[in-house]
Each structure stands twice: as structure tokens, then as C-alpha cells.
Amino acid sequence: MTYKNFFSNENITIKTAINLINKNGKKCLIICDSKKKLKGILSDGDIRKSILKGAQITDKIKKIYNKNPITISEENISYKKLLNLFKVNFIDAIPVIDDNKIIKKIF
């Protein structure tokens, strides 16, 4: 998988997030710091809900992204576990992280 336009920091606006999601075609953004430490995931659904609650596209995403996303550790990767996580949780991306929450891969 290519990760272009898939990572961002939490200081972007909703409008910028929408543009990045449109460019990456994955329905979400992985929010991390400059060292790729996972902070959360922002889905297009998070954006829609925030706008319906009155958020403006010039607002920062800091308050609307999921800070406790579903992840899998490097040691626990298996096709069966990944498939189950996708099916049960209806999600579009699962970050693979190490013990320090550094993103190693995304499924």
C-alpha cells in the first residue's frame, strides 16, 4: 500500500483533512507525530458527524479524530486476526504498531 496523503498531524483543518482523504482514496487519515508515533485515526464519518454538530471546515481536527483507534501489534499479526478486526469493527484501516506506538505498516 502506498502511504501518500495518508498521514497527517493533528493541527490541520477539517478542509485540509477532506482534501487529503480525497487524494488518498482510503476514507481516513492516520494521525501521527513527526516520528510516525500513532495519535489516532480520522475517518470521513468523524468529519461528517462534526459538521452536523456545527463544526466549520476551518476548525482543526484535534477535537474530532479517534484517539483510541483499533490497532494490531507487530507480534500479533495474522491474516485471521486482521480479517476479524475488519469484519467486526467495520473499519477501513488498521495500523500495525510497535511497543512505542510507532506505525510500522497499515492494512
Side-chain angles (χ1 to χ4, degrees):
M1 167 186 271
T2 178
Y3 298 128
K4 187 175 182 178
N5 300 311
F6 204 46
F7 294 108
S8 186
N9 65 59
E10 64 185 4
N11 295 314
I12 64 170
T13 64
I14 291 173
K15 181 179 181 178
T16 299
I18 291 168
N19 285 326
L20 289 171
I21 289 171
N22 280 340
K23 286 178 184 175
N24 75 29
K26 304 296 181 198
K27 298 184 189 176
C28 63
L29 288 177
I30 305 297
I31 309 303
C32 57
D33 66 16
S34 61
K35 295 180 181 178
K36 295 279 193 268
K37 183 173 183 177
L38 181 68
K39 293 186 144 230
I41 294 180
L42 176 71
S43 70
D44 56 352
D46 296 327
I47 293 171
R48 284 193 309 273
K49 288 177 209 168
S50 71
I51 290 172
L52 288 173
K53 290 179 182 177
Q56 302 297 308
I57 62 170
T58 54
D59 292 347
K60 303 286 185 187
I61 64 164
K62 203 177 247 188
K63 294 180 183 176
I64 67 169
Y65 72 89
N66 178 358
K67 293 168 182 67
N68 295 301
I70 293 167
T71 62
I72 193 164
S73 70
E74 286 181 298
E75 298 84 33
N76 289 328
I77 296 175
S78 78
Y79 178 76
K80 187 175 182 178
K81 285 181 185 179
L82 284 168
L83 188 58
N84 188 53
L85 284 172
F86 279 114
K87 280 183 174 180
V88 170
N89 298 290
F90 303 102
I91 53 179
D92 296 307
I94 300 174
V96 177
I97 56 172
D98 67 12
D99 292 337
N100 296 314
K101 294 184 76 176
I102 302 298
I103 302 163
K104 298 298 182 178
K105 195 175 206 178
I106 300 171
F107 287 100

